[in-house]
Amino acid sequence: MTESLPPCPECRSAYSYEADSLLACPECGHEWSPDAVLEAGAEVRDSLGSLLADGDTVTVIKDLKVKGSSSVIKVGKKVRGIRLVAGDHDIDCKLPGFGQISLKSQFVKKVTD
């Protein structure tokens, strides 16, 4: 096993283990979802290193091809009201004229008002 499991969020025990799709602590008996740990503890930063939060406005820094479509999201496209999620594509948003899409934070820049 190459990766270590996160400690228990309740008692901070390092002896957590996998129990089906959950993580469990043998010391306090607490069970939690691994996705909940990612959402609570992960910081999401843009391409310049600025910390992102839910509701921020970002702009796309390069042309992005949309997988499974011939569409392209052009550089400079402004996206308002982002939502951070756990996973490879860590930003969920709604692009005007395009619809719901997931983006990687490495391809966006935070807009400061």
Side-chain angles (χ1 to χ4, degrees), residues 10-12 30 42 63-64 66 80 98 100-101 104 107 110 112:
E10 293 291 315
C11 68
R12 306 306 300 165
H30 179 66
D63 287 347
L64 299 173
V66 179
R80 299 180 195 277
F98 189 81
Q100 192 71 25
I101 193 164
K104 290 186 178 185
F107 299 121
K110 185 175 182 176
T112 55

Side-chain angles (χ1 to χ4, degrees), residues 89-105:
H89 291 75
D90 44 12
I91 297 174
D92 275 348
C93 58
K94 191 171 188 178
L95 289 174
F98 189 81
Q100 192 71 25
I101 193 164
S102 294
L103 298 171
K104 290 186 178 185
S105 59

Side-chain angles (χ1 to χ4, degrees), residues 6 9 23 32-44 51-54 83-92:
L23 296 177
W32 69 97
S33 170
D35 294 334
V37 172
L38 289 175
E39 291 175 7
E43 289 183 342
V44 178
L51 191 60
L52 295 174
D54 286 343
R83 188 171 58 103
L84 302 179
V85 294
D88 187 31
H89 291 75
D90 44 12
I91 297 174
D92 275 348

Side-chain angles (χ1 to χ4, degrees), residues 5-94:
L5 297 174
C8 174
E10 293 291 315
C11 68
R12 306 306 300 165
S13 171
Y15 301 110
S16 60
Y17 63 93
E18 292 182 28
D20 294 322
S21 65
L22 298 175
L23 296 177
C25 176
E27 293 183 4
C28 70
H30 179 66
E31 293 182 342
W32 69 97
S33 170
D35 294 334
V37 172
L38 289 175
E39 291 175 7
E43 289 183 342
V44 178
R45 297 190 177 268
D46 68 359
S47 61
L48 300 176
S50 299
L51 191 60
L52 295 174
D54 286 343
D56 281 347
T57 300
V58 296
T59 183
V60 178
I61 63 167
K62 70 177 260 183
D63 287 347
L64 299 173
K65 295 180 184 175
V66 179
K67 192 172 191 176
S69 172
S70 61
S71 301
V72 175
I73 299 170
K74 294 290 186 179
V75 64
K77 184 74 165 178
K78 192 179 271 190
V79 183
R80 299 180 195 277
I82 65 169
R83 188 171 58 103
L84 302 179
V85 294
D88 187 31
H89 291 75
D90 44 12
I91 297 174
D92 275 348
C93 58
K94 191 171 188 178

